[in-house]
Amino acid sequence: MEKVAIRPAKIEDLPAIQLLYGDLYKLLQGMGLPFALDEAGLQGLLPVLCKSKMCCLAVAETPEGEICGFLSAAISRMDRKLQFCGENLIGKISDICVAEAYRGQNVAGRLLQFAENWMKDCGVTVCESEIVLQNARSLGFFQKNGYTPFCALTYKVLLGNGE
């Protein structure tokens, strides 16, 4: 297969990205993610991500013009009491998804490199990504790309008062 192109997302890419998001979150829920994808909320959010200077929404596009993957990342300030190498900006990879037919071809790695380069250009020196514990493939991918696991994110369902 010919190499896919990695580029910033455009407004016309958003329907394809939304479909990939649906596939991604179905997979993640099967791995224990307790949260459901809000399709309407996503539809409203994607144009904002596409235009924001603090967000990176990148796509992988086939030579035929098919969007076969995407990555969503953002830059924010750390908690005021924290810093890394004297800085308090942090990059975060929120979501990355590659269509099944294109996995194993370094598409995800190229999307990640695109986002990391964007972060470096913005002055970011550290990047994180949350990974569902049962998603060994994703954990292995990030470790292969130099990421180090350092914590576990926990959640608790809070019932009504007194329950």
Side-chain angles (χ1 to χ4, degrees):
M1 273 184 220
E2 291 187 45
K3 207 173 198 184
V4 300
I6 308 299
R7 61 169 175 77
K10 298 184 250 181
I11 293 294
E12 56 266 24
D13 301 327
L14 300 185
I17 294 170
Q18 186 151 0
L19 288 173
L20 286 168
Y21 257 111
D23 293 343
L24 173 62
Y25 276 77
K26 283 178 194 159
L27 177 69
L28 292 174
Q29 283 185 305
M31 294 180 178
L33 181 74
F35 311 111
L37 182 63
D38 176 356
E39 297 274 347
L42 179 63
Q43 190 171 12
L45 177 64
L46 286 175
V48 175
L49 294 178
C50 197
K51 295 175 186 176
S52 173
K53 292 185 186 319
M54 298 303 284
C55 296
C56 175
L57 187 60
V59 295
E61 182 180 32
T62 69
E64 299 77 31
E66 174 191 0
I67 302 303
C68 64
F70 78 91
L71 179 143
S72 172
I75 297 171
S76 63
R77 295 215 179 272
M78 288 185 213
D79 184 303
R80 293 173 70 183
K81 67 183 174 290
L82 300 175
Q83 60 177 241
F84 184 84
C85 295
E87 300 291 331
N88 85 339
L89 288 179
I90 188 166
K92 182 172 184 176
I93 305 297
S94 299
D95 295 294
I96 185 167
C97 180
V98 175
E100 194 164 345
Y102 293 88
R103 293 180 189 156
Q105 300 176 38
N106 197 34
V107 174
R110 293 178 55 225
L111 282 163
L112 183 61
Q113 188 62 55
F114 183 92
E116 288 174 351
N117 288 340
W118 169 76
M119 288 179 207
K120 288 177 195 173
D121 290 346
C122 293
V124 174
T125 57
V126 64
C127 179
E128 68 179 13
S129 183
E130 295 173 6
I131 301 166
V132 172
L133 288 174
Q134 292 182 5
N135 194 346
R137 183 175 187 163
S138 184
L139 181 59
F141 166 77
F142 277 97
Q143 287 178 305
K144 180 179 114 185
N145 283 280
Y147 288 69
T148 303
F150 73 97
C151 70
L153 181 66
T154 61
Y155 79 99
K156 177 181 180 180
V157 176
L158 302 176
L159 301 175
N161 291 335
E163 291 183 37

